[in-house]
Amino acid sequence: MPRKPKKLPYYFTLEEANELVQATESSDARLATRLMLLCGLRVS
């Protein structure tokens, strides 16, 4: 059986990351969002 081609991971652009951080309402959520973006963490 042939192997499936590997897909490259999708990364947020700087503009997308800034929009995501700005969309959060509380400072705690903003901090958690920045932490996840900088460390490469996932919600799942």
Side-chain angles (χ1 to χ4, degrees), residues 9-28:
Y10 172 77
Y11 297 101
F12 286 118
T13 64
L14 185 58
E15 292 82 18
E16 289 173 331
N18 285 331
E19 287 179 17
L20 187 61
V21 170
Q22 294 301 321
T24 57
E25 294 183 11
S26 70
S27 62
D28 290 341

